[in-house]
Amino acid sequence: MSKLVATTPGLFPLPDWAKDRLSDLKGHQKGDLISGDEGDDIVAAYGEARAEVIEDQLDAGLDRVGEGQLRWDDNLAHPLTVHDNVETGGIVRYYDNNNFYRDPQVVGDLTFSGDVAAELEAAHDVVDDEAPLQAVLPGPYSLADLATDEHYGGEAEFLDAVGDFLAGEVEAFPEHETLFLNEPSLVTNAPGDDTDELASEVVDRVAAATDADVVVNTYWGALDEKTYAHLMDADVDAIGFDFVAGDRQQTLYNINEYGTKADIALGLVDGQNTLVEEPETVRERVDWVQEQIASQDFETVYVTSNTELFYLPVNKAQQKLAVLAEAASLNEVKA
């Protein structure tokens, strides 16, 4: 029987009170760059908001609790936009939706930052052993895809450098049970022939920097066959699949044709739609996927939303947390 683990890909919506307070403190509108060198009042506001979203996850009963990534105004590009050797360009549409971020333009070496590690240290203190901590990062391929290289001089060289940068960041993380590497660009802008193997290698490199269980979380559709085959070469514990958006049959074909890891993450709750699913419906979807992959029993099934939750109003995100937790606790996955 599989163990069901309720979790999310992170990036929670910022509470309304925090938006208002931070807008006043920073003197700019929502969506502007977080500089990484906030004053004490801003740090305190984010700390209060972080504690709130952690409490939301604990109250819902999630099996893994994340930091929330509330400072990530630039979405998955955040680890670069706060780096000293990165300049921010103009506003860019974030994948294919109405969210935006400021284009990180890498103009120097991607040296160690420690920004995300500091966030996780703060979260670790709040969680205080009440639940296992989950770290969240952009995957190296997606982070490179969201950025502009003005320093390394080539696509492969830049991707290689981003992989080294993220591996160094992960090495500084406090103790964590799982690491979600969010890799939507593997779906939306698949690697070409000159980088497809390297894309898998740098994922492997980042995963090797932690002793935690690593989930490479893909979403906004299905991976193409070649990309999936290369991703399977990465030494990770689980690959995440989007069963809300895109071609489910392509996803199932990839899994049944090439196999998958011993664990699996299933994006079964819509992270962009305010309609709140019933826990029984989500649990039925878990069973349905398992039935379609009859050749493999999974040790762990991560039950998640298919995308980050920051697209949702806070109350809807909270409700979806409860749905994920209840769906995972209903009963065992069928063998």
Side-chain angles (χ1 to χ4, degrees):
M1 294 293 183
S2 302
K3 176 184 177 182
L4 266 60
V5 171
T7 188
T8 75
L11 281 82
F12 283 56
L14 190 64
D16 290 338
W17 67 263
K19 291 179 188 176
D20 295 339
R21 186 187 302 178
L22 289 163
S23 180
D24 291 341
L25 288 171
K26 294 185 291 187
H28 62 219
Q29 298 300 308
K30 178 191 173 188
D32 281 356
L33 173 70
I34 299 301
S35 66
D37 56 357
E38 300 94 338
D40 290 344
D41 288 344
I42 292 176
V43 171
Y46 275 117
E48 187 177 339
R50 179 187 297 112
E52 183 173 307
V53 299
I54 288 174
E55 191 64 31
D56 286 344
Q57 295 170 80
L58 292 171
D59 287 347
L62 290 189
D63 299 300
R64 300 288 184 273
V65 172
E67 185 269 335
Q69 296 74 48
L70 300 176
R71 290 177 59 245
W72 293 25
D73 279 8
D74 294 291
N75 305 306
L76 293 182
H78 170 86
L80 290 185
T81 57
V82 295
H83 195 282
D84 289 341
N85 291 332
V86 175
E87 297 175 353
T88 51
I91 298 295
V92 183
R93 186 179 294 274
Y94 182 64
Y95 294 100
D96 188 20
N97 56 51
N98 291 322
N99 289 271
F100 300 87
Y101 70 104
R102 303 219 321 199
D103 175 28
Q105 300 177 346
V106 178
V107 297
D109 288 347
L110 291 176
T111 52
F112 175 74
S113 165
D115 181 86
V116 178
E119 292 179 329
L120 286 171
E121 289 282 4
H124 193 275
D125 291 342
V126 175
V127 175
D128 192 27
D129 298 327
E130 289 188 60
L133 183 65
Q134 176 172 293
V136 170
L137 274 179
Y141 180 76
S142 293
L143 185 57
D145 182 49
L146 291 167
T148 300
D149 173 34
E150 301 287 353
H151 176 68
Y152 289 96
E155 183 179 4
E157 292 80 4
F158 183 49
L159 178 56
D160 196 55
V162 171
D164 283 343
F165 165 67
L166 288 177
E169 299 302 296
V170 170
E171 288 175 354
F173 284 2
E175 183 179 356
H176 53 289
E177 187 77 13
T178 53
L179 168 62
F180 258 57
L181 294 176
N182 286 321
E183 281 282 24
S185 286
L186 288 176
V187 172
T188 63
N189 185 26
D193 291 340
D194 51 347
T195 55
D196 48 9
E197 291 187 24
L198 180 59
S200 174
E201 290 173 9
V202 293
V203 165
D204 189 273
R205 192 181 311 162
V206 177
T210 179
D211 293 329
D213 293 330
V214 178
V215 180
V216 181
N217 190 46
T218 67
Y219 48 104
W220 283 320
L223 293 161
D224 67 45
E225 185 175 353
K226 186 175 182 181
T227 301
Y228 182 73
H230 281 298
L231 184 58
M232 277 297 294
D233 292 334
D235 187 11
V236 298
D237 298 278
I239 297 174
F241 301 96
D242 184 347
F243 280 94
V244 174
D247 187 345
R248 298 179 186 86
Q249 293 308 312
Q250 177 64 43
T251 294
L252 291 170
Y253 170 81
N254 289 339
I255 295 171
N256 286 318
E257 180 69 17
Y258 297 98
T260 194
K261 303 299 182 177
D263 301 336
I264 192 171
L266 303 179
L268 298 171
V269 166
D270 195 330
Q272 297 186 90
N273 193 320
T274 56
L275 178 67
V276 178
E277 298 86 348
E278 293 295 330
E280 293 80 9
T281 301
V282 177
R283 187 51 238 287
E284 288 170 2
R285 293 172 182 174
V286 174
D287 287 343
W288 181 85
V289 174
Q290 185 81 346
E291 290 165 2
Q292 307 308 305
I293 312 171
S295 62
Q296 186 167 346
D297 293 330
F298 297 102
E299 296 177 11
T300 300
V301 175
Y302 296 92
V303 184
T304 79
S305 57
N306 69 319
T307 69
E308 312 99 317
L309 293 175
F310 68 83
Y311 308 97
L312 299 172
V314 170
N315 66 326
K316 295 297 183 180
Q318 292 169 334
Q319 291 171 37
K320 296 214 176 199
L321 298 179
V323 167
L324 288 166
E326 187 173 345
S329 65
L330 284 175
N331 50 26
E332 297 283 355
V333 173
K334 297 175 181 177

